Amino acid sequence: MPLACYWPTESICNMKNRLKVLRAERDWTQAQLATRLDVSRQTIVAIEKGKYDPSLSLAFKTARLFAQPIETIFDDENATNET
């Protein structure tokens, strides 16, 4: 899986996430989480460091794995408040 949002000199990734916290709560390594999500360990590292925003399908898969809504795991920093 290519790291579509990985830019070493410019950060265009805007999504914060709780992936590291959720993984730690379960005592899973990055490799174990990667296996469960069918991605590389490097993908998990990049997501946790904010260097890669997951695809929609990966975000849904992650939400199902942790049994939580997507928005409790991933938070788009650039989302506008609609009132």
Side-chain angles (χ1 to χ4, degrees):
M1 172 178 283
L3 299 179
C5 195
Y6 185 75
W7 300 98
T9 59
E10 177 184 347
S11 178
I12 62 169
C13 299
N14 299 308
M15 198 170 301
K16 288 188 175 186
N17 67 78
R18 298 183 56 241
L19 203 56
K20 186 174 184 176
V21 172
L22 294 169
R23 179 177 60 77
E25 289 173 354
R26 289 155 180 81
D27 293 321
W28 292 347
T29 65
Q30 291 171 332
Q32 289 170 323
L33 178 56
T35 297
R36 286 175 168 87
L37 293 174
D38 196 29
V39 297
S40 69
R41 185 187 62 79
Q42 291 83 357
T43 297
I44 300 301
V45 170
I47 293 171
E48 287 183 355
K49 288 185 173 187
K51 303 247 183 220
Y52 172 65
D53 289 341
S55 65
L56 187 56
S57 63
L58 181 54
F60 272 107
K61 198 173 191 179
T62 304
R64 283 192 299 272
L65 177 66
F66 289 112
Q68 296 189 18
I70 290 174
E71 59 272 15
T72 65
I73 301 171
F74 301 101
D75 180 30
D76 182 6
E77 291 181 333
N78 286 336
T80 56
N81 293 331
E82 296 180 18
T83 55

